Amino acid sequence: MAEGRTIPAMRPRGATNVTAALVCRPGRAMPRGIARATERDLGADQSNTSVVLDERVLIKMYRRIQPGLNPELELVAYLAEEAQFPAVPPLGGFAEVVSRRHGASTVAIAQTFIAKGSDAYEAIAESLVAWLLAPGEISVEWATEVAADLGTLTAGMHAALSSARGVPELAPRDATRKEIEGWATAARRHLANALEVTKGEEGERLRAMAPAIAEVMTTLRALPTTPRIIRAHGDYHLGQVLISPDGYRIIDFEGDPLEPVEARHAHRSPLRDVASMLRSLDHVGRSAIRRAERRNGGRLTRPGLDMDGWFLRARERFLEAYRDGLRVEGVRGVIDVDLLRAFEIDKETSEFIYAATYLPTWFWAPVGGMTWLIEGDGARPIHLEDPRESARVTPGVRRRARSSRDRTGPGTRR
């Protein structure tokens, strides 16, 4: 990759021509001399294989190869090199197999390694645990600053992705009626699947909430405006964010690796990303409570942080910062609160399917999260009043985002 080599495949017996080749190309961030670097495994549990070279470059090799350009390579190349969005680790290079039969298929990507980056989910969870076990009282406002930081970070990413007006595959556009119908159809399918596979007490709890869930889903068939759609992250949660000493980095733009590559290249509402991150903030808070109770040896009688207040205020501060961040980047009000709520509940419904299919010990997250959305404080209307613009309108970008080029997001606040 560092040398930009093309390696032809071995010829099949009796063949006279090469039918495929491994094409490797360096990116702007590929350092010199890296071909002789030390190599170590990343040591993280993930769906791909990643190694670190010389503590400077991260090489990710995809285990599930699909024909076509991997969306991660496409989006990282655009964000890092075209939009110059600094919260994405720069592109170091890529490798793809080019064959007569399938065309080009991405097999690996290289990016700058964030040596001191910590997983945002774990960092936030452990901070919350420390505050819950603290002998004093921690301010909810102070404890939710990270949510505001993440809202600003997300706005910068979406503004950069929305600026791709000269790139047909990435250019923002209005959703079609067929696409919106597809959202409604998929949401109903997710609910039906979740009800089918979720058994026991969790299944009973989900069935009790199912009528209210289905009612919210009707929003997807009665949108008052035509949503704007972009090439968003596609699998956005706290595990895809790194906290480093100089700010935040967003990683893993490949979307759901179980989906076909065409679906992962599809335009989608940026509010999908917003909904996913809001659910992730909810889950990390619930994880912190569970961790704190285990370390305490039982329920906390006098927690140092009001978690009921934290859940609600973290949500509010994320959305306020996201809205304000979009305005700074030149994007006018994009938050349709009803559509966002439908996406959140659809996302949580999918978490039931994930828990039932792959990780039953995860049920505490969707059960608690969905209960909060349907019956708790999450059922309260979202108010994002602004005298200058409506929070329900979804227009496009007025100008190309520039301020995001000058920063990687707010600094870490602990």
Side-chain angles (χ1 to χ4, degrees):
M1 192 182 293
E3 298 169 356
R5 293 176 60 190
T6 296
I7 304 172
M10 292 186 293
R11 293 182 178 86
R13 185 181 299 275
T16 58
N17 296 317
V18 173
T19 60
L22 180 67
V23 179
C24 305
R25 295 290 181 264
R28 296 176 183 174
M30 179 64 74
R32 294 182 179 180
I34 199 69
R36 296 180 296 277
T38 59
E39 177 181 321
R40 69 171 176 85
D41 185 80
L42 181 62
D45 180 21
Q46 53 185 213
S47 58
N48 298 296
T49 300
S50 297
V51 297
V52 180
L53 302 180
D54 205 26
E55 301 303 311
R56 292 186 292 169
V57 175
L58 178 72
I59 305 285
K60 177 194 287 187
M61 290 149 284
Y62 301 109
R63 294 178 188 161
R64 189 166 184 255
I65 307 301
Q66 296 180 332
L69 179 66
N70 189 291
E72 181 165 39
L73 174 56
E74 183 180 26
L75 294 181
V76 167
Y78 176 76
L79 287 169
E81 299 190 348
E82 296 296 327
Q84 298 181 21
F85 179 57
V88 171
L91 181 66
F94 64 91
E96 57 187 6
V97 168
V98 180
S99 70
R100 291 182 178 179
R101 182 177 180 182
H102 296 295
S105 302
T106 309
V107 297
I109 184 175
Q111 290 181 266
T112 298
F113 178 56
I114 309 302
K116 296 183 179 180
S118 58
D119 178 283
Y121 187 96
E122 285 301 314
I124 294 172
E126 288 303 310
S127 292
L128 291 172
V129 169
W131 294 332
L132 283 166
L133 297 176
E137 183 176 336
I138 306 299
S139 164
V140 168
E141 201 69 11
W142 186 67
T144 54
E145 285 186 348
V146 67
D149 287 352
L150 290 166
T152 302
L153 176 74
T154 306
M157 175 181 69
H158 285 165
L161 288 167
S162 297
S163 68
R165 295 189 173 276
V167 185
E169 296 81 4
L170 302 179
R173 60 177 175 80
D174 289 342
T176 65
R177 174 49 54 185
K178 183 178 180 180
E179 287 170 325
I180 296 172
E181 287 288 336
W183 300 347
T185 300
R188 291 196 305 272
R189 183 175 64 252
H190 293 158
L191 179 56
N193 290 348
L195 289 169
E196 180 181 357
V197 300
T198 307
K199 310 297 182 183
E201 295 181 4
E202 295 85 3
E204 293 177 5
R205 191 77 194 92
L206 180 60
R207 282 188 287 276
M209 294 184 285
I213 295 171
E215 182 178 356
V216 172
M217 296 306 180
T218 61
T219 300
L220 298 172
R221 289 190 171 277
L223 298 179
T225 61
T226 300
R228 196 73 165 162
I229 56 177
I230 63 174
R231 286 290 301 282
H233 186 285
D235 188 27
Y236 193 53
H237 54 79
L238 289 170
Q240 312 289 41
V241 176
L242 300 177
I243 302 178
S244 67
D246 62 345
Y248 296 81
R249 300 293 187 279
I250 304 172
I251 59 175
D252 291 341
F253 281 82
E254 62 177 308
D256 185 348
L258 297 179
E259 289 185 346
V261 69
E262 295 81 8
R264 293 188 283 137
H265 279 283
H267 281 57
R268 65 191 71 209
S269 169
L271 292 183
R272 287 280 192 188
D273 283 351
V274 172
S276 184
M277 185 56 75
L278 288 175
R279 293 296 82 227
S280 191
L281 284 168
D282 181 280
H283 297 162
V284 78
R286 298 185 193 284
S287 175
I289 294 171
R290 290 164 59 85
R291 298 182 193 197
E293 289 179 345
R294 283 199 300 269
R295 297 176 194 179
N296 185 60
R299 293 182 63 85
L300 304 175
T301 56
R302 299 186 63 181
L305 176 63
D306 172 18
M307 285 304 295
D308 288 337
W310 186 90
F311 282 117
L312 189 59
R313 188 59 182 142
R315 174 193 187 83
E316 292 172 344
R317 293 197 69 183
F318 179 94
L319 291 173
E320 290 166 358
Y322 179 73
R323 177 203 59 194
D324 295 343
L326 288 174
R327 183 183 300 121
V328 168
E329 299 288 0
V331 182
R332 294 180 291 117
V334 300
I335 302 179
D336 183 322
V337 294
D338 295 328
L339 182 59
L340 174 60
R341 178 167 171 75
F343 284 157
E344 276 196 81
I345 290 177
D346 183 32
K347 175 61 178 175
E348 203 69 275
T349 302
S350 297
E351 295 294 327
F352 275 94
I353 300 173
Y354 174 78
T357 306
Y358 301 107
L359 192 63
T361 56
W362 177 248
F363 265 126
W364 57 264
V367 169
M370 188 69 85
T371 300
W372 189 83
L373 283 171
I374 297 297
E375 301 174 357
D377 286 341
R380 292 162 50 180
I382 300 173
H383 293 293
L384 292 172
E385 298 295 335
D386 190 296
R388 289 173 294 178
E389 59 189 29
S390 169
R392 296 178 60 89
V393 180
T394 317
V397 178
R398 291 203 306 265
R399 62 171 173 81
R400 180 167 177 148
R402 295 189 182 276
S403 58
S404 63
R405 298 181 181 183
D406 302 324
R407 66 181 191 280
T408 59
T412 305
R413 298 173 180 173
R414 296 284 180 91

